[in-house]
Amino acid sequence: NAGVTQTPKFRVLKTGQSMTLLCAQDMNHEYMYWYRQDPGMGLRLIHYSVGEGTTAKGEVPDGYNVSRLKKQNFLLGLESAAPSQTSVYFCASSYPWGYEQYFGPGTRLTVT
Amino acid sequence: GENVGLHLPTLSVQEGDNSIINCAYSNSASDYFIWYKQESGKGPQFIIDIRSNMDKRQGQRVTVLLNKTVKHLSLQIAATQPGDSAVYFCAMGGSQGNLIFGKGTKLSVKP
């Protein structure tokens, strides 16, 4: 099993550009999450999904949108990138709440 | 609000010594706590978890201690090895069912 995979691994955007980060998991997990990690800030939850076709806001949702059209995929979109969105983005998946979350390798995004 | 605090951002230990990494949390209603290890350039990796009905849980070379009275969580690593060098995060279950992460402790192991 590949576990949780993320595409792309690195990306540089100019302010105002848009992009989509793709997360895929092959563990048949119901729940999926998008986090951002900034220096000295730990991981902060952006959006999450408790099942196919559902999404919900996390701690820092502004400037991001998500979609969960298939159970195994969770997409994170930036419609108009800003320098404040420069960060490392991690996707995770899990069984229902309280269970271990499995993380992907991360996407390093730089917005200039 | 809900948050997880950290006692020390960095910790340096001698190879073979025991390491203790501490966390404090604010939400006494949380019933789930977890420790992750993150190596440079990689995603967080599960180490060990504990539920609030327990005070202690042991894994391979790792022990998690939970003191609900003072809202304190610790991770003990026995016989620390160079491969243990990483950033360690504690996290707790939040009211939304999410995980709330601390800011991490960077563990450095001196040979």
Side-chain angles (χ1 to χ4, degrees):
Chain A
N1 290 344
V4 180
T5 57
Q6 293 182 232
T7 313
K9 288 184 168 50
F10 303 94
R11 187 71 186 270
V12 179
L13 289 179
K14 293 185 177 179
T15 298
Q17 287 185 318
S18 64
M19 78 162 294
T20 300
L21 281 67
L22 171 64
C23 176
Q25 54 95 5
D26 61 2
M27 296 173 282
N28 202 34
H29 286 162
E30 285 293 330
Y31 299 154
M32 297 187 74
Y33 317 79
W34 275 107
Y35 292 89
R36 60 177 289 173
Q37 184 176 36
D38 302 299
M41 296 295 291
L43 288 98
R44 293 183 291 170
L45 183 66
I46 304 172
H47 286 280
Y48 62 99
S49 168
V50 299
E52 183 178 317
T54 74
T55 63
K57 294 180 180 180
E59 180 186 357
V60 289
D62 294 341
Y64 305 95
N65 57 76
V66 288
S67 64
R68 184 100 180 267
L69 299 179
K70 294 182 179 181
K71 185 178 182 179
Q72 64 268 34
N73 295 338
F74 195 28
L75 278 62
L76 177 70
L78 286 74
E79 290 186 348
S80 180
S84 61
Q85 294 177 305
T86 293
S87 188
V88 181
Y89 292 86
F90 287 100
C91 176
S93 68
S94 75
Y95 292 112
W97 302 119
Y99 288 84
E100 173 188 351
Q101 291 184 18
Y102 295 80
F103 284 82
T107 294
R108 185 173 293 275
L109 175 66
T110 302
V111 183
T112 61
Chain B
E2 300 174 318
N3 61 74
V4 181
L6 197 67
H7 288 235
L8 285 174
T10 61
L11 177 65
S12 182
V13 300
Q14 203 71 38
E15 181 179 356
D17 287 351
N18 296 335
S19 304
I20 300 176
I21 302 171
N22 296 302
C23 264
Y25 61 93
S26 63
N27 184 3
S28 57
S30 184
D31 64 354
Y32 180 75
F33 303 86
I34 187 169
W35 282 97
Y36 281 93
K37 173 186 180 182
Q38 186 177 25
E39 296 175 280
S40 181
K42 296 184 178 180
Q45 181 181 14
F46 171 86
I47 303 174
I48 192 168
D49 59 1
I50 188 169
R51 294 198 178 271
S52 60
N53 60 353
M54 301 173 69
D55 297 322
K56 179 180 179 178
R57 192 170 184 212
Q58 288 183 292
Q60 188 176 12
R61 284 201 306 118
V62 294
T63 300
V64 55
L65 298 177
L66 177 62
N67 186 330
K68 295 178 285 294
T69 302
V70 295
K71 300 180 190 174
H72 184 268
L73 183 73
S74 69
L75 176 71
Q76 299 179 359
I77 304 173
T80 313
Q81 303 169 0
D84 295 326
S85 293
V87 178
Y88 289 81
F89 291 95
C90 60
M92 70 176 187
S95 59
Q96 289 182 297
N98 56 319
L99 283 179
I100 300 171
F101 284 83
K103 296 183 180 179
T105 291
K106 183 175 182 179
L107 176 65
S108 300
V109 181
K110 295 178 288 187

